[in-house]
Amino acid sequence: MKQILVVEDYPSLQHIYKVALENAGYKVDTASDGGQALAKAQKNTYDIILLDLLLQRVSGLEFLRALNAPLNYPKTKIIVISNVSHPEVAKEAERLGVYKYLVKSEHLPKDIVNEVNNQFGGG
Amino acid sequence: MDLYYSLSPEVSGPEDLLQRNLLYIKIRWYLLLVLGAGGLLAAVRLKSTAPSPTKILFLIAIVAAFNLFFYLLTHIARRKSTAVKTYINIALFQVILDIVSISYCVYLDGGEASKLFVLYVLPIVISSGLFARSIIYFTAFFSMFAYFFVSFVYVVNRTLAIPDAGSILKTAFFATSFLFIAYLADYLYSLRHQREVELAQTEMVSLASHQLRTPATAVKGYLSFLLEGDVGKLNPKQLDFAKRAFDENNIQLRLIDNILNVARIDLKRLHFAPRMTDLSVLIEEVVHEHLAIIGERGQSISFKPHTKNTQTAVDPQLMRIVVDNLISNASKYSGKDGKISVKLFGDKQFVKFSVEDNGVGIATFEQKKLFKRFSRIFSNQRTEVIEGSGLGLYLTKELVKIHHGSIDLVSYPKEGSIFTITLPRKEALK
């Protein structure tokens, strides 16, 4: 079963993404801030990390810098799901190895599941 | 008393007041050096007309002593974290002593004939940087009185006669100008403060909108679970209600986005990234997004490009908001059976697109205020409340302006409206 880490500090959204992805057949782990996410990402191997950027304590961009996924976890794909739609932030995220940048308010849970499915050709 | 103890809006707190005080003490040292040296030089060179060096040295010593005294006092007050009232008293006392010292300078330099009266501007400007309005005007009035007094005393001492009407009028004229300077300084500071308050309010609105968007996005997520049947099948009535809630949530999110974008424009933080874009495809997509809700309202929408070259330099994200707002407005202000027609034209230099409806229309006198913030159309025939923040058309106009374009409106009450956007093809890339 494919494993996904959902990094989101807003509890309801974390719950929504978890339910949507579990319903689609994925094993979902969650983290509420960048520090917690970093500890989990270094301990387990995730296929996909769904990452919010505005997080408490350690931000999403700081998490990306610390994780350095392209070098340390080349098999993990990172999808950013954030309400920050500034192109400069998106560019920086891309530079740090983010595979896809989605604007939160424009994507329904099913759209996010579709994006994840596209990675594996199904759950 | 509260009026007396109020600080200028420029001063952010006791520490800032202290820093400003120390800066003014430093400026006073420099001035003392320049004026003292100048005065002594004049006293030595022009022995007959200038005041005696002893008097000038006495003045320098007095001012240096009081400046040193206040320098030490400010540092002691800082170390002891004295109440803000003490800081204000220290600052105010300095300003008064400045005026007294300047008056003595003016007296030594020839009373009403002296040009040194311009120095009175300094305590007024210092005062406007430190205190609230009441103290600024107090400083101006005190300077007026002091200047008038020394000029009068000088003439009486020298000639043992009352000054003539001409010199009294001249002194009065210069003295009155202090009031004008106080007014000007107060006005400029208030203007700057007002702008800062407005920016702070916009910042707060921006932050609040950001905070509102997250829970609204969560509501959208949960409603989508209900609509998709992910948590069990709903009966037709439940499904209808969930669908209505979903549509309302979309309106809510659009409103939040409009408020956020207006705040970004005000704060000059709107990111503008134009690139060559197929406007026909962009409009087609937005029209498609509106199809469902327009259909539910019993209205219809059509889109027709009348040009082959539909490429133009726009920021696709921002232009999408423009098209979205215009179509959304056309639908809101059209009744059942309303017809909305979107057309795209073009020539070598410009691309134009228009959104036409057969809705309530807008009276000529209302058209001017339509693009202002929080404007609403009241002379319509519809009695129900129309949702909206009153920011949509203001934002549309501002976004078109960013693209170096223009927006025109032709509208007649009860007949409908045509909004036309004209965009230069490549201007936005420059």
Side-chain angles (χ1 to χ4, degrees):
Chain A
M1 194 184 272
K2 304 284 184 192
Q3 219 178 339
I4 295 170
L5 175 66
V6 172
V7 191
E8 168 64 62
D9 65 343
Y10 196 74
S12 296
L13 285 174
Q14 193 188 81
H15 178 234
I16 287 167
Y17 301 144
K18 188 174 190 294
V19 170
L21 289 164
E22 279 176 349
N23 284 352
Y26 295 102
K27 189 171 180 238
V28 181
D29 209 352
T30 56
S32 300
D33 70 73
Q36 206 184 359
L38 196 62
K40 288 195 173 184
Q42 283 166 342
K43 202 173 160 193
N44 310 300
T45 310
Y46 295 103
D47 297 289
I48 284 183
I49 297 175
L50 200 64
L51 177 73
D52 184 20
L53 289 183
L54 294 178
L55 298 166
Q56 306 285 329
R57 293 185 283 273
V58 180
S59 77
L61 286 178
E62 284 167 335
F63 163 81
L64 287 171
R65 282 187 202 107
L67 188 71
N68 198 359
L71 195 74
N72 301 326
Y73 306 92
K75 283 186 181 167
T76 304
K77 293 217 162 135
I78 300 170
I79 298 175
V80 162
I81 173 89
S82 170
N83 266 336
V84 179
S85 54
H86 201 287
E88 290 300 315
V89 179
K91 215 190 244 175
E92 175 66 2
E94 205 176 306
R95 198 185 65 79
L96 294 167
V98 164
Y99 150 79
K100 196 104 190 182
Y101 196 103
L102 307 174
V103 177
K104 219 185 262 184
S105 58
E106 290 169 9
H107 289 80
L108 293 172
K110 66 171 179 185
D111 300 326
I112 291 156
V113 171
N114 283 342
E115 285 294 342
V116 173
N117 284 345
N118 287 342
Q119 283 312 295
F120 307 117
Chain B
M1 242 12 213
D2 278 349
L3 195 67
Y4 165 73
Y5 279 115
S6 49
L7 286 168
S8 158
E10 283 285 302
V11 182
S12 61
E15 181 56 32
D16 188 24
L17 179 64
L18 275 180
Q19 289 302 333
R20 281 165 190 257
N21 226 359
L22 289 171
L23 175 74
Y24 296 139
I25 288 171
K26 202 183 264 181
I27 292 172
R28 201 177 289 117
W29 283 126
Y30 290 129
L31 270 176
L32 186 64
L33 197 72
V34 172
L35 290 172
L40 279 174
L41 206 69
V44 174
R45 279 192 170 181
L46 314 159
K47 275 182 189 162
S48 55
T49 51
S52 72
T54 328
K55 281 182 180 170
I56 292 171
L57 279 172
F58 173 71
L59 180 65
I60 292 172
I62 291 285
V63 177
F66 103 68
N67 210 27
L68 187 68
F69 171 70
F70 281 111
Y71 175 80
L72 294 172
L73 201 64
T74 308
H75 276 287
I76 292 168
R78 186 190 215 173
R79 198 172 298 167
K80 293 199 168 179
S81 301
T82 325
V84 70
K85 281 182 183 178
T86 314
Y87 298 147
I88 298 178
N89 281 333
I90 294 172
L92 184 61
F93 200 35
Q94 280 185 83
V95 169
I96 292 170
L97 280 181
D98 274 338
I99 296 170
V100 173
S101 311
I102 291 166
S103 300
Y104 190 55
C105 279
V106 171
Y107 182 82
L108 289 180
D109 196 42
E112 51 104 19
S114 169
K115 301 277 188 295
L116 290 181
F117 72 90
V118 290
L119 290 174
Y120 283 111
V121 174
L122 290 169
I124 299 172
V125 171
I126 288 175
S127 194
S128 58
L130 290 176
F131 310 116
R133 187 169 290 151
S134 52
I135 305 183
I136 304 173
Y137 284 105
F138 163 78
T139 313
F141 272 113
F142 188 59
S143 301
M144 269 174 76
F145 168 77
Y147 179 49
F148 217 77
F149 180 75
V150 291
S151 301
F152 189 85
V153 169
Y154 182 86
V155 176
V156 173
N157 265 358
R158 290 291 158 104
T159 61
L160 297 174
I162 304 283
D164 60 73
S167 24
I168 291 179
L169 265 176
K170 193 179 139 195
T171 315
F173 173 75
F174 288 127
T176 317
S177 69
F178 301 157
L179 264 186
F180 176 71
I181 291 162
Y183 168 76
L184 203 69
D186 176 40
Y187 175 74
L188 290 175
Y189 275 112
S190 313
L191 215 64
R192 219 171 100 180
H193 176 62
Q194 195 184 336
R195 177 76 187 138
E196 274 168 17
V197 169
E198 278 171 11
L199 283 177
Q201 282 170 344
T202 310
E203 188 88 48
M204 207 178 76
V205 169
S206 165
L207 198 72
S209 311
H210 242 295
Q211 299 293 328
L212 282 173
R213 198 148 78 149
T214 309
T217 308
V219 170
K220 189 178 185 172
Y222 282 122
L223 286 171
S224 79
F225 281 150
L226 290 176
L227 289 170
E228 296 289 322
D230 290 339
V231 283
K233 207 173 173 226
L234 301 182
N235 68 37
K237 200 167 187 180
Q238 287 168 337
L239 198 65
D240 178 44
F241 279 24
K243 177 82 183 70
R244 282 169 193 265
F246 188 80
D247 290 343
E248 290 301 324
N249 173 255
N250 266 339
I251 291 168
Q252 185 185 18
L253 278 166
R254 189 186 293 137
L255 290 179
I256 293 170
D257 281 344
N258 276 354
I259 295 169
L260 259 173
N261 280 320
V262 168
R264 281 181 190 131
I265 288 172
D266 285 352
L267 294 166
K268 297 187 172 34
R269 277 191 210 150
L270 190 80
H271 189 83
F272 178 55
R275 57 183 154 93
M276 290 312 281
T277 307
D278 191 333
L279 213 54
S280 179
V281 173
L282 188 147
I283 295 172
E284 185 92 56
E285 282 172 5
V286 181
V287 167
H288 191 77
E289 283 165 18
H290 281 268
L291 277 179
I293 195 148
I294 283 175
E296 276 169 29
R297 287 173 178 165
Q299 301 167 341
S300 64
I301 184 165
S302 64
F303 169 55
K304 211 169 183 186
H306 292 274
T307 174
K308 279 183 183 168
N309 185 2
T310 53
Q311 290 284 334
T312 189
V314 293
D315 181 315
Q317 234 179 332
L318 301 182
M319 197 42 66
R320 190 173 278 275
I321 298 171
V322 171
V323 182
D324 186 76
N325 275 339
L326 289 178
I327 294 176
S328 163
N329 253 19
S331 171
K332 271 193 288 188
Y333 290 100
S334 297
K336 214 180 166 200
D337 301 324
K339 284 186 174 60
I340 301 160
S341 163
V342 186
K343 289 171 187 158
L344 181 65
F345 311 90
D347 58 27
K348 268 188 177 176
Q349 277 185 305
F350 297 96
V351 171
K352 287 183 182 197
F353 68 88
S354 64
V355 178
E356 183 178 351
D357 66 68
N358 59 350
V360 294
I362 306 144
T364 318
F365 76 93
E366 281 200 318
Q367 290 180 17
K368 280 181 192 162
K369 60 179 183 186
L370 197 63
F371 295 99
K372 290 182 178 160
R373 283 166 197 238
F374 310 115
S375 65
R376 290 292 182 89
I377 306 163
F378 292 107
S379 67
N380 60 57
Q381 301 299 306
R382 299 187 62 173
T383 48
E384 69 264 42
V385 177
I386 296 171
E387 86 274 359
S389 59
L391 286 174
L393 280 176
Y394 169 75
L395 177 65
T396 303
K397 182 196 77 181
E398 290 298 314
L399 293 179
V400 170
K401 208 160 89 183
I402 290 170
H403 284 85
H404 306 284
S406 62
I407 181 163
D408 296 297
L409 167 66
V410 178
S411 183
Y412 300 101
K414 296 181 194 172
E415 286 182 28
S417 310
I418 309 172
F419 285 89
T420 307
I421 307 286
T422 306
L423 299 166
R425 280 194 193 271
K426 287 182 180 169
E427 192 69 27
L429 288 178
K430 285 176 188 168

